[in-house]
Amino acid sequence: MESASTSAQTRNGFWGWLDDRLGVGGLRYPVPEHANSLAYTLGGITLASFVGLVLTGIYLAQFYDPTPEAAHASVTYITDTAFAGELIRSLHYWLASAFVITLVLHLVRTFATASFKAPREMTWISGVVLFFLTAGLLFSGTVLKADQEAIEALEHNNEIADLFGFLGFWFSADFTDNLSALTRLYVAHVSILPILVAAVLAIHMLLIKRHRMAPLPWGSAAEMAAREQAEHAEPFTSHLKHIGKWALVVVGATLLLSGLVPAGLGPAGVEGIEITKPPWYFLWLYPLENWFGLDALWIVPGILGLGLVALPFLDRSPERDPRRRRIWIALGAIALVAWLFLTIYGAATVPVSHTEAGGG
Ligand code: HEM
């Protein structure tokens, strides 16, 4: 029988061999202990949800047909016929929600603890880019199922693209007669946007490693520096175990939700009517569109994006403690309450028509 020491030697030998060739030992760089708390693991959970989305998305792509004539029927095929199709599709749907929720909480945490301050401005800005790429993924994903909600989302896409004239041409239905807008959005959803997310994510991660995790924000700059010096550090590989633990919670929760509330699919969409509302993550835009028209759909996200990019250059004091950044925390809280209010209001209002295609 193999002794414990021999098996440890073999394992060390194997990892030593792998480390010599791949440098995997480099992953054991020190990470401060506070990074293992849930608040500081949210970005890692977002990343784990993204990996889950890619895996379930690859399975769905084996059955999905991205042509306007066949798209809806192929989604029906996935739910009714493909092996475990309904479960995987529902997992994809619920993982997207987990991704959005943890992403927003991660943004709120980095905002509240002022992690965007020097020298982490570019980490924050790469995060803002990820935020908007995510919105693109959510939007293009909504269109793919080709039910009524999807057709109306596509009509919004086309009319907003037309508002931008030459600048919106790439996104407009007139860009080419050779391929439908649905097929081009499919290419964006499964190829262009995930590649961009992966590339920007790599920059985000490299910057986090370069600047290390920001210290806990409590107290003066001198107190923070002293605490940072004294804080116990653990290898990054241990931090990965904490992320893994939470990733299992996400898998469990999304599996449960998939069983209880499978992803829905309406009947095949009809052009020329507007009777649905967007999915919950875009619902906050719905009342804005009711009040201010189609323009609100690019003006408000535009202002939000510019504000987020400008933040590290506006809030520049070395102060990180949220209790001493009352104005900024109040502004953040107002934005969050407005988002919540608009979402609930959007859920409660009766659907109306906004686009010309929808008769509005
Ligand atoms: C696909 C989306 C994103 C992923 C997967 C991601 C991932 C991560 C991870 C794994 C960390 C390490 C610490 C943690 O987990 O809290 C982190 C840190 C950070 N992220 Fe993100 N992130 C994303 C989007 C964002 C967004 C939208 C923002 C803000 C606009 C942002 C800003 C930051 C900042 C400033 C840090 C440094 C935190 C510190 O040092 O305390 N990230 N991100």
Side-chain angles (χ1 to χ4, degrees):
M1 206 174 84
E2 195 186 32
S3 73
S5 65
T6 327
S7 92
Q9 253 172 23
T10 322
R11 218 177 50 227
N12 281 340
F14 173 70
W15 284 115
W17 184 90
L18 212 61
D19 191 21
D20 285 344
R21 279 145 193 90
L22 297 177
V24 284
L27 286 176
R28 295 183 59 79
Y29 63 87
V31 173
E33 202 162 23
H34 74 266
N36 291 329
S37 66
L38 176 58
Y40 281 76
T41 308
L42 287 164
I45 308 175
T46 313
L47 180 57
S49 311
F50 181 68
V51 172
L53 282 167
V54 172
L55 294 178
T56 48
I58 289 174
Y59 187 75
L60 296 177
Q62 307 312 308
F63 306 101
Y64 180 73
D65 185 333
T67 52
E69 309 75 40
H72 188 269
S74 72
V75 181
T76 309
Y77 178 87
I78 290 173
T79 27
D80 296 350
T81 313
F83 175 72
E86 186 173 30
L87 175 67
I88 303 290
R89 176 166 176 254
S90 301
L91 267 178
H92 195 73
Y93 171 80
W94 283 111
L95 279 168
S97 291
F99 181 88
V100 176
I101 293 168
T102 52
L103 176 73
V104 172
L105 291 175
H106 173 57
L107 190 156
V108 170
R109 195 285 285 170
T110 48
F111 172 81
T113 57
S115 296
F116 54 81
K117 293 200 172 184
R120 295 180 183 80
E121 296 93 330
M122 294 305 162
T123 317
W124 171 266
I125 291 174
S126 58
V128 178
V129 176
L130 285 170
F131 185 83
F132 280 91
L133 289 174
T134 300
L137 275 168
L138 292 170
F139 176 76
S140 49
T142 305
V143 171
L144 300 186
K145 56 195 165 78
D147 58 4
Q148 191 58 34
E149 188 182 75
I151 297 295
E152 291 176 22
L154 189 58
E155 280 162 358
H156 275 77
N157 172 78
N158 296 344
E159 292 195 16
I160 293 173
D162 290 345
L163 283 180
F164 280 85
F166 174 71
L167 289 178
F169 189 50
W170 190 27
F171 299 93
S172 91
D174 304 328
F175 181 80
T176 173
D177 290 335
N178 196 33
L179 210 58
S180 72
L182 177 76
T183 312
R184 290 201 299 124
L185 278 167
Y186 173 71
V187 173
H189 189 74
V190 302
S191 168
I192 303 172
L193 289 168
I195 289 173
L196 286 176
V197 166
V200 181
L201 207 51
I203 297 172
H204 199 61
M205 296 299 163
L206 285 172
L207 288 172
I208 296 160
K209 181 165 185 290
R210 166 113 177 86
H211 298 301
R212 290 176 291 129
M213 203 72 92
L216 286 173
W218 323 118
S220 67
E223 281 166 342
M224 263 190 299
R227 198 171 338 103
E228 200 178 8
Q229 283 289 319
E231 190 173 354
H232 173 71
E234 282 185 24
F236 175 69
T237 41
S238 300
H239 181 57
L240 276 182
K241 285 184 198 153
H242 286 274
I243 296 177
K245 189 178 70 186
W246 284 109
L248 285 180
V249 173
V250 170
V251 171
T254 49
L255 267 174
L256 191 70
L257 284 164
S258 300
L260 293 175
V261 192
L265 177 69
V270 184
E271 284 175 25
I273 50 169
E274 206 182 325
I275 50 169
T276 69
K277 289 195 274 186
W280 73 266
Y281 29 77
F282 288 132
L283 215 46
W284 64 281
L285 288 164
Y286 197 75
L288 293 174
E289 196 186 359
N290 281 352
W291 298 328
F292 307 112
L294 214 58
D295 278 322
L297 297 186
W298 68 270
I299 294 178
V300 179
I303 294 173
L304 178 71
L306 287 178
L308 287 173
V309 169
L311 178 68
F313 309 103
L314 299 174
D315 181 8
R316 286 167 48 186
S317 74
E319 189 62 74
R320 284 173 191 273
D321 195 330
R323 293 166 301 188
R324 285 187 280 197
R325 291 167 44 237
R326 294 226 168 118
I327 293 178
W328 290 104
I329 296 296
L331 279 176
I334 290 171
L336 215 58
V337 170
W339 173 69
L340 215 63
F341 168 78
L342 288 171
T343 302
I344 295 169
Y345 191 79
T349 50
V350 186
V352 287
S353 198
H354 304 109
T355 57
E356 277 176 33

